[in-house]
Amino acid sequence: MEDSTEVAVNKFDVLFNLAKKSFEEIMVEVTGEAIDAQPEFSIAPEDRLSLSIIIGLSGNTNGRILLNTSVEYGQNIAVAMNFGDPLDNEDDLHVYLAEFANMFCGRAATHINNEFGKREIWISPPAIFSAKDLDIITPNVSSVRAYYECPLGKFIVDMGFSENSYDDF
Amino acid sequence: MSKKVLVIDDSPFVFKAVTKALEGTEYEVVGNALDGQLGVDKYIETRADVITLDVTMPIMDGLQAAKRLFEINPNVKIIMLSAMGDETLLNQAKEIGIKFFLTKPFQPPVLQAKLAEVFS
């Protein structure tokens, strides 16, 4: 018989896999190129990723999904979203990437809600952090990372989930 | 005569993408609104022929906005254009009266085909 910890771990595995699947689907639909998760890679200091888009998840399961990339790689995504044309102005980059993250997390929420047969999670509006050597730490959240490298660039998806414990208060 | 499209979505990207996707077609984007309440106001102002409507938006979400839009005009044509599309949400939207759905991201031919379906 599974104990509650084991059930939670299995549930988180399902959530992680559905989130990964969603990222891969959205990348294909936006860029037309299939991508697969790669083994963990190290990033040279000069390539330190400097764009992080965070989307919060709420509902029966709480959490957040972080998409880390660089400005250069982010621009590649934005151009693909703009149907291959350059952006009208530089300020559009954040608007496009926020929507990219929204589409990715919305797809993840769709898969997760369908998997659990109910409204398991809901997404909140994205926030973008742009900085050098940015670390985002979320204590008390079980998180894993998926690494992607493709002609468009390097992307790290950091997915963290926790059971909603508001009832404990 | 072109058909008027109203975009209701809290992401400015979607307004740009829909406008670009419909360039050179029989459709003209006549406005956009960044939340459901503004979207209802904009519909009253423009009387657009079709609305693309997001779900997760501040102030008034897409489902609430759709209810208001159907109160204003029971024959209003709405395409729910959202990143989310789970069964629970789709059923809620159908109960309100929304008949057309498109999941983001979209390519221009897909949006054009959906609009053709709306007016067929």
Side-chain angles (χ1 to χ4, degrees):
Chain A
M1 185 177 168
E2 290 181 313
D3 64 24
S4 58
T5 306
E6 195 172 349
V7 170
V9 169
N10 290 340
K11 181 179 179 181
F12 290 158
D13 281 343
V14 171
L15 298 174
F16 294 138
N17 287 328
L18 290 173
K20 274 178 61 183
K21 173 184 170 184
S22 302
F23 182 76
E24 291 157 16
E25 286 178 355
I26 294 297
M27 281 293 279
V28 169
E29 291 172 29
V30 168
T31 69
E33 293 187 26
I35 60 164
D36 294 312
Q38 304 290 318
E40 181 175 349
F41 50 72
S42 59
I43 298 161
E46 60 270 26
D47 293 334
R48 176 74 178 182
L49 305 184
S50 56
L51 268 180
S52 288
I53 308 149
I54 185 167
I55 286 196
L57 309 171
S58 58
N60 290 334
T61 300
N62 290 323
R64 88 289 178 276
I65 294 180
L66 271 168
L67 174 61
N68 295 302
T69 189
S70 70
V71 171
E72 178 190 347
Y73 302 151
Q75 281 170 337
N76 293 338
I77 292 285
V79 168
M81 291 175 72
N82 203 33
F83 309 126
D85 292 333
L87 304 188
D88 294 336
N89 63 70
E90 288 182 10
D91 292 341
D92 281 351
L93 175 64
H94 292 157
V95 170
Y96 278 55
L97 291 183
E99 182 59 20
F100 179 82
N102 183 58
M103 291 189 293
F104 155 41
C105 294
R107 182 68 58 89
T110 298
H111 286 316
I112 290 167
N113 291 340
N114 283 339
E115 176 74 20
F116 289 89
K118 59 181 179 178
R119 179 70 46 75
E120 179 70 19
I121 63 170
W122 196 254
I123 60 174
S124 44
I128 298 185
F129 301 86
S130 181
K132 195 75 176 171
D133 293 332
L134 177 69
D135 283 319
I136 296 176
I137 299 159
T138 316
N140 305 324
V141 168
S142 170
S143 82
V144 294
R145 288 182 170 181
Y147 296 82
Y148 295 92
E149 188 168 6
C150 65
L152 287 176
K154 293 177 179 176
F155 305 91
I156 299 175
V157 181
D158 186 308
M159 301 161 280
F161 299 101
S162 67
E163 285 295 320
N164 191 336
S165 57
Y166 294 143
D167 290 345
D168 296 340
F169 292 95
Chain B
M1 190 174 165
S2 60
K3 295 186 175 68
K4 296 186 290 183
V5 180
L6 172 63
V7 177
I8 305 177
D9 198 303
D10 61 341
S11 170
F13 160 78
V14 176
F15 170 64
K16 287 171 180 278
V18 170
T19 302
K20 196 173 177 67
L22 298 180
E23 279 175 1
T25 70
E26 63 184 297
Y27 304 101
E28 178 193 4
V29 179
V30 293
N32 75 310
L34 299 177
D35 68 61
Q37 180 60 60
L38 288 174
V40 170
D41 295 342
K42 201 78 178 179
Y43 174 71
I44 293 169
E45 176 190 328
T46 62
R47 288 286 166 169
D49 298 301
V50 61
I51 297 166
T52 67
L53 181 64
D54 188 22
V55 176
T56 51
M57 291 184 290
I59 302 175
M60 180 187 282
D61 70 30
L63 297 181
Q64 292 173 302
K67 285 180 189 170
R68 282 288 297 124
L69 291 164
F70 281 117
E71 286 169 5
I72 295 165
N73 177 5
N75 298 315
V76 65
K77 293 179 170 57
I78 296 173
I79 300 173
M80 198 177 94
L81 178 57
S82 175
M84 296 191 63
D86 59 76
E87 289 300 320
T88 307
L89 178 61
L90 293 181
N91 287 336
Q92 283 180 299
K94 285 174 185 169
E95 283 174 14
I96 291 168
I98 298 174
K99 296 174 185 163
F100 303 98
F101 303 89
L102 195 56
T103 306
K104 300 173 189 171
F106 63 85
Q107 292 297 322
V110 176
L111 176 61
Q112 291 164 19
K114 184 59 70 175
L115 285 165
E117 183 186 339
V118 169
F119 290 104
S120 65

